[in-house]
Amino acid sequence: MAHESEKVIIVEGLTDKNQINKVITDDVTIICTNGTLGVERFDELLETYHLDYKDVFIFVDEDRSGWKLRKQLARELPHAEHIYVSSEYREVATTPEHILAAALLNKRIAVNPMFLL
């Protein structure tokens, strides 16, 4: 059986996932929603990743589609913690690595210390 991380970060797209993967050293599963989620797709993610039993973090863009997705996920996963990027950067994918690292570390997610300098 494959090892499953106890921490899950939900992001919108692959570029967000790649940017976060650059800075973390923690054992984290990153799920891309590719935008908004339909009920069936959400149920599939819930079952596949056992989201009710994991530490879930919602890390989406500070734009209209990100707000909509965050609101939907917050309703479906009330135990999830939210990670925000400054509206100055708007997108997770374009947020400087040191800013991402600080935001992730603030949620007890281990990051490569070189991004904290």
Side-chain angles (χ1 to χ4, degrees):
M1 186 171 129
H3 168 74
E4 281 191 30
S5 171
E6 290 303 309
K7 295 179 184 174
V8 175
I9 300 175
I10 300 176
V11 298
E12 289 176 84
L14 194 55
T15 53
D16 301 328
K17 178 178 180 172
N18 292 340
Q19 186 73 344
I20 291 169
N21 266 329
K22 281 187 208 173
V23 302
I24 62 172
T25 56
D26 217 335
D27 182 18
V28 177
T29 301
I30 302 176
I31 302 171
C32 297
T33 65
N34 301 310
T36 54
L37 287 172
V39 174
E40 283 181 24
R41 171 85 171 116
F42 177 78
D43 287 345
E44 178 186 314
L45 291 176
L46 193 64
E47 279 187 39
T48 302
Y49 296 99
H50 310 287
L51 297 178
D52 284 333
Y53 310 102
K54 303 284 176 87
D55 293 331
V56 178
F57 301 89
I58 300 169
F59 201 0
V60 295
D61 297 343
E62 285 298 312
D63 60 14
R64 190 176 305 241
S65 63
W67 298 328
K68 184 178 176 187
L69 180 59
R70 185 182 296 279
K71 189 175 175 183
Q72 178 188 8
L73 290 169
R75 203 172 40 243
E76 301 289 344
L77 298 166
H79 71 288
E81 291 188 56
H82 296 265
I83 306 173
Y84 297 91
V85 293
S86 167
S87 54
E88 171 187 354
Y89 305 114
R90 285 198 56 199
E91 298 178 9
V92 173
T94 57
T95 300
E97 281 111 351
H98 70 281
I99 303 288
L100 280 181
L104 291 160
L105 191 62
N106 193 35
K107 295 295 182 179
R108 304 162 317 281
I109 296 171
V111 297
N112 184 326
M114 78 175 219
F115 292 111
L116 298 172
L117 302 176

